[in-house]
């Protein structure tokens, strides 16, 4: 995992390098903003720590340009603590910010937190949703569990698609019925329970797989 540090204060940059490398990260340092976008675009970079105030090109401008071609995780450093700058920093696509002066341990902890959050969020495109070991192709109506294709019924597929889009969110039986039966037919909530039971069996048919589908008593179901 390689972290790019774009920071013009060399002492701060070196402290971050030392603490990040102690945690097993590779690092690269730029002391101004001139070549930051090019480095991110062309380099093997996994995470960016970006100072707000930089020579030649400021951090907000860099962040805006990066977000035009990449969703790489980005933590912004700033000595300007007024609320407007904080909001602007996040609105242009920063994942988080840390105000100077800061503890290098805090920065490393923020980096790890952002990476954990991104790791568990589903990757969603128009055609596919990928979450942990499950991938569904919406256009082709296919489901893969650890790269093995699993056949789902239309109702099971819609159930899984709905829950994969929002992991951790509990979906009531009523809301799932509306998703699964678009023709407004009247069905019992127990029908959803049966579909969930079948879906769970298919997703865990290989005993090595973890059961991501959870029942919340009296409420509904979630993927997590």
């Amino acid at each position: 995992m390689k972290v790019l540090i774009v920071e013009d204060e060399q002492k701060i940059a070196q402290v971050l390098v030392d603490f990040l490398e102690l945690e097993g990260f590779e690092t690269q340092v730029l002391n101004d903003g001139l070549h930051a976008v090019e480095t991110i675009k062309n380099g093997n970079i996994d995470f960016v720590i970006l100072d707000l105030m930089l020579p030649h090109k400021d951090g907000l401008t860099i962040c805006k340009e990066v977000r035009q071609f990449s969703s790489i995780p980005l933590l912004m450093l700033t000595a300007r603590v007024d609320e407007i700058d904080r909001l602007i920093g996040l609105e242009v696509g920063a994942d988080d910010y840390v105000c100077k002066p800061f503890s290098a341990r805090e920065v490393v902890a923020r980096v790890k937190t952002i990476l954990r959050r991104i790791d568990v969020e589903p990757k969603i495109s128009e055609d596919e949703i990928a979450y942990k070991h499950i991938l569904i192709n919406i256009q082709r109506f296919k489901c893969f569990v650890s790269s093995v294709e699993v056949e789902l019924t239309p109702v099971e597929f819609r159930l899984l698609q709905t829950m994969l889009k929002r992991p951790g969110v509990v979906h009531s039986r009523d809301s799932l019925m509306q998703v699964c039966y678009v023709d407004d037919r009247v069905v019992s909530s127990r029908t959803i329970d049966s579909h969930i039971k079948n879906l769970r069996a298919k997703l865990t048919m290989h005993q090595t797989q973890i059961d991501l589908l959870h029942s919340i008593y009296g409420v509904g179901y979630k993927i997590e």
Side-chain angles (χ1 to χ4, degrees):
M1 182 72 67
K2 188 171 185 179
V3 179
L4 175 66
I5 302 166
V6 190
E7 168 61 67
D8 62 319
E9 296 185 51
Q10 294 186 12
K11 288 184 179 179
I12 292 177
Q14 188 58 52
V15 169
L16 292 175
V17 166
D18 293 342
F19 275 79
L20 285 164
E21 291 188 349
L22 279 174
E23 295 295 326
F25 293 96
E26 294 182 49
T27 59
Q28 179 178 346
V29 176
L30 295 178
N31 295 125
D32 61 54
L34 188 60
H35 301 295
V37 175
E38 181 183 354
T39 301
I40 294 166
K41 186 177 291 186
N42 299 328
N44 185 25
I45 306 298
D46 301 296
F47 196 103
V48 179
I49 298 177
L50 178 65
D51 191 24
L52 178 65
M53 302 299 293
L54 291 165
H56 306 304
K57 184 184 289 188
D58 66 86
L60 292 183
T61 301
I62 293 169
C63 188
K64 288 178 184 177
E65 292 182 12
V66 168
R67 284 296 176 250
Q68 292 177 7
F69 65 87
S70 174
S71 58
I72 188 171
L74 191 151
L75 176 67
M76 189 162 283
L77 307 178
T78 177
R80 297 168 60 181
V81 296
D82 59 284
E83 196 64 22
I84 294 177
D85 281 343
R86 295 183 184 186
L87 291 172
I88 290 174
L90 296 177
E91 284 175 359
V92 297
D95 292 281
D96 203 351
Y97 65 88
V98 175
C99 294
K100 296 179 179 180
F102 53 74
S103 159
R105 287 189 177 88
E106 178 189 2
V107 174
V108 174
R110 295 284 187 97
V111 170
K112 290 181 174 180
T113 298
I114 293 169
L115 289 172
R116 280 197 301 269
R117 187 173 70 226
I118 290 173
D119 186 53
V120 299
E121 286 181 350
K123 297 177 178 63
I124 300 176
S125 68
E126 291 184 3
D127 296 330
E128 293 184 339
I129 302 175
Y131 180 68
K132 296 190 177 179
H133 59 275
I134 299 174
L135 182 144
I136 62 172
N137 187 296
I138 299 166
Q139 299 300 322
R140 297 169 60 202
F141 203 81
K142 290 183 179 293
C143 173
F144 299 89
V145 179
S146 294
S147 301
V148 178
E149 185 173 354
V150 176
E151 292 189 11
L152 301 180
T153 67
V155 170
E156 291 165 357
F157 192 90
R158 286 194 288 269
L159 277 172
L160 183 58
Q161 179 181 346
T162 298
M163 290 186 286
L164 283 180
K165 285 181 177 179
R166 302 178 69 193
V169 173
V170 180
H171 300 266
S172 69
R173 290 180 174 84
D174 287 341
S175 66
L176 291 174
M177 281 191 289
Q178 292 175 10
V179 168
C180 294
Y181 296 100
V182 294
D183 55 0
D184 295 326
R185 74 180 72 175
V186 177
V187 295
S188 164
S189 61
R190 294 303 172 191
T191 304
I192 291 295
D193 294 341
S194 297
H195 289 308
I196 290 287
K197 180 180 178 181
N198 294 336
L199 177 60
R200 176 182 283 118
K202 291 180 180 181
L203 295 179
T204 57
M205 65 173 60
H206 306 289
Q207 293 184 359
T208 57
Q209 299 307 330
I210 300 171
D211 186 6
L212 301 180
L213 212 168
H214 301 282
S215 306
I216 309 300
Y217 181 76
V219 183
Y221 297 96
K222 67 176 180 177
I223 288 276
E224 193 169 47

